[in-house]
Amino acid sequence: MDLKFAGQRVTAQEAGYTVALVFGGGYEVRIETPFSLRQPSGDLEVTPGETDLPELIGRVVTVANADDEGGLRIDFQDGSRLLVAADPDYEAWTVAGPDGLKVVSEPGGGLAVWSGAQDGA
Protein backbone atom coordinates (compact mmCIF):
# COMPACT_ATOMS: atom_id res chain seq x y z
CA MET A 1 0.00 0.00 0.00
CA ASP A 2 1.40 3.36 -1.05
CA LEU A 3 1.19 5.68 1.97
CA LYS A 4 1.32 8.76 -0.28
CA PHE A 5 4.12 10.74 1.34
CA ALA A 6 7.00 10.01 -1.03
CA GLY A 7 8.66 13.32 -1.88
CA GLN A 8 8.01 14.74 1.60
CA ARG A 9 10.80 15.86 3.91
CA VAL A 10 11.14 14.98 7.61
CA THR A 11 10.39 18.25 9.41
CA ALA A 12 10.50 17.07 13.05
CA GLN A 13 11.36 14.03 15.10
CA GLU A 14 10.87 12.96 18.68
CA ALA A 15 12.34 9.86 20.25
CA GLY A 16 11.10 8.58 23.58
CA TYR A 17 9.15 5.43 24.27
CA THR A 18 7.54 6.17 20.93
CA VAL A 19 9.42 7.46 17.90
CA ALA A 20 7.50 10.21 16.09
CA LEU A 21 8.46 11.52 12.66
CA VAL A 22 6.64 14.48 11.15
CA PHE A 23 6.73 14.97 7.39
CA GLY A 24 5.66 17.75 5.06
CA GLY A 25 2.18 17.49 3.64
CA GLY A 26 0.57 16.79 7.00
CA TYR A 27 1.89 13.24 7.54
CA GLU A 28 3.11 11.76 10.81
CA VAL A 29 4.50 8.33 11.66
CA ARG A 30 4.59 6.93 15.20
CA ILE A 31 6.60 3.77 15.89
CA GLU A 32 6.15 1.92 19.17
CA THR A 33 8.20 -1.27 18.66
CA PRO A 34 11.82 -2.04 17.71
CA PHE A 35 12.76 -1.29 14.10
CA SER A 36 15.72 -1.22 11.72
CA LEU A 37 17.33 1.85 10.22
CA ARG A 38 19.65 0.87 7.38
CA GLN A 39 22.04 3.66 6.47
CA PRO A 40 25.04 3.96 4.16
CA SER A 41 27.13 4.41 7.33
CA GLY A 42 25.82 1.15 8.85
CA ASP A 43 22.69 -0.51 10.12
CA LEU A 44 21.09 0.41 13.44
CA GLU A 45 18.51 -1.54 15.41
CA VAL A 46 16.37 0.99 17.25
CA THR A 47 14.33 0.21 20.36
CA PRO A 48 12.16 3.21 21.26
CA GLY A 49 13.07 4.53 24.70
CA GLU A 50 16.43 2.74 24.67
CA THR A 51 18.34 3.59 21.47
CA ASP A 52 19.40 7.06 20.34
CA LEU A 53 17.89 7.87 16.98
CA PRO A 54 20.14 9.62 14.44
CA GLU A 55 19.04 12.96 13.05
CA LEU A 56 16.47 12.35 10.31
CA ILE A 57 15.24 15.93 9.92
CA GLY A 58 15.72 17.12 6.36
CA ARG A 59 15.77 13.67 4.78
CA VAL A 60 13.45 13.27 1.80
CA VAL A 61 11.24 10.19 1.39
CA THR A 62 11.45 8.27 -1.90
CA VAL A 63 9.25 5.28 -0.89
CA ALA A 64 6.59 5.03 1.83
CA ASN A 65 4.80 1.68 1.79
CA ALA A 66 2.91 -0.65 4.10
CA ASP A 67 2.55 -4.34 3.29
CA ASP A 68 -0.45 -6.57 3.92
CA GLU A 69 1.36 -8.27 6.84
CA GLY A 70 1.61 -4.96 8.73
CA GLY A 71 5.18 -3.99 7.84
CA LEU A 72 6.31 -0.43 7.15
CA ARG A 73 9.06 0.65 4.74
CA ILE A 74 10.30 4.20 4.33
CA ASP A 75 13.20 4.84 1.95
CA PHE A 76 15.07 8.14 1.94
CA GLN A 77 16.89 9.95 -0.84
CA ASP A 78 20.25 9.47 0.93
CA GLY A 79 19.95 5.66 0.62
CA SER A 80 18.68 5.06 4.16
CA ARG A 81 15.77 2.70 4.78
CA LEU A 82 13.53 2.45 7.84
CA LEU A 83 11.84 -0.94 8.32
CA VAL A 84 9.24 -1.83 10.94
CA ALA A 85 7.78 -5.34 11.16
CA ALA A 86 4.37 -6.11 12.61
CA ASP A 87 4.41 -6.98 16.30
CA PRO A 88 2.65 -10.11 17.59
CA ASP A 89 1.13 -8.27 20.58
CA TYR A 90 1.06 -4.52 19.88
CA GLU A 91 0.27 -1.93 17.24
CA ALA A 92 3.80 -1.51 15.86
CA TRP A 93 3.25 1.76 14.02
CA THR A 94 0.66 4.29 12.92
CA VAL A 95 0.61 6.70 9.97
CA ALA A 96 -1.69 9.71 10.10
CA GLY A 97 -2.17 12.02 7.16
CA PRO A 98 -4.40 14.62 5.58
CA ASP A 99 -8.13 14.13 5.03
CA GLY A 100 -8.43 11.75 7.98
CA LEU A 101 -5.99 9.15 6.64
CA LYS A 102 -4.92 6.69 9.31
CA VAL A 103 -3.11 3.39 8.77
CA VAL A 104 -2.30 1.13 11.73
CA SER A 105 -0.22 -2.03 11.89
CA GLU A 106 -2.49 -4.39 13.82
CA PRO A 107 -1.23 -6.73 16.56
CA GLY A 108 -0.28 -10.04 14.98
CA GLY A 109 -0.11 -8.50 11.48
CA GLY A 110 -2.40 -6.87 8.97
CA LEU A 111 -3.51 -3.29 8.48
CA ALA A 112 -6.41 -1.19 9.66
CA VAL A 113 -7.05 1.71 7.27
CA TRP A 114 -9.27 4.77 7.62
CA SER A 115 -9.54 7.63 5.18
CA GLY A 116 -12.03 10.44 5.63
CA ALA A 117 -11.63 11.49 1.99
CA GLN A 118 -12.52 8.04 0.68
CA ASP A 119 -15.28 7.49 3.26
CA GLY A 120 -17.19 10.44 1.84
CA ALA A 121 -16.83 9.31 -1.79
Side-chain angles (χ1 to χ4, degrees):
M1 168 185 206
D2 180 3
L3 296 170
K4 307 290 187 204
F5 61 93
Q8 299 297 330
R9 183 177 307 274
V10 179
T11 60
Q13 74 182 55
E14 180 183 321
Y17 290 101
T18 297
V19 170
L21 300 174
V22 178
F23 300 86
Y27 292 89
E28 181 176 346
V29 174
R30 290 197 170 269
I31 305 169
E32 299 184 26
T33 60
F35 63 94
S36 298
L37 181 60
R38 298 180 181 164
Q39 304 182 95
S41 61
D43 295 350
L44 178 65
E45 297 301 317
V46 177
T47 299
E50 295 179 17
T51 310
D52 289 335
L53 185 66
E55 183 71 35
L56 299 177
I57 295 173
R59 295 189 193 190
V60 176
V61 176
T62 57
V63 173
N65 287 330
D67 61 41
D68 292 339
E69 291 78 38
L72 174 67
R73 172 183 165 187
I74 301 173
D75 291 356
F76 296 97
Q77 214 167 40
D78 69 352
S80 299
R81 176 176 287 168
L82 187 150
L83 296 167
V84 188
D87 189 274
D89 301 313
Y90 302 102
E91 294 176 349
W93 56 267
T94 301
V95 171
D99 299 320
L101 173 69
K102 190 167 190 178
V103 181
V104 178
S105 176
E106 295 182 307
L111 298 173
V113 180
W114 298 267
S115 175
Q118 291 177 356
D119 292 343

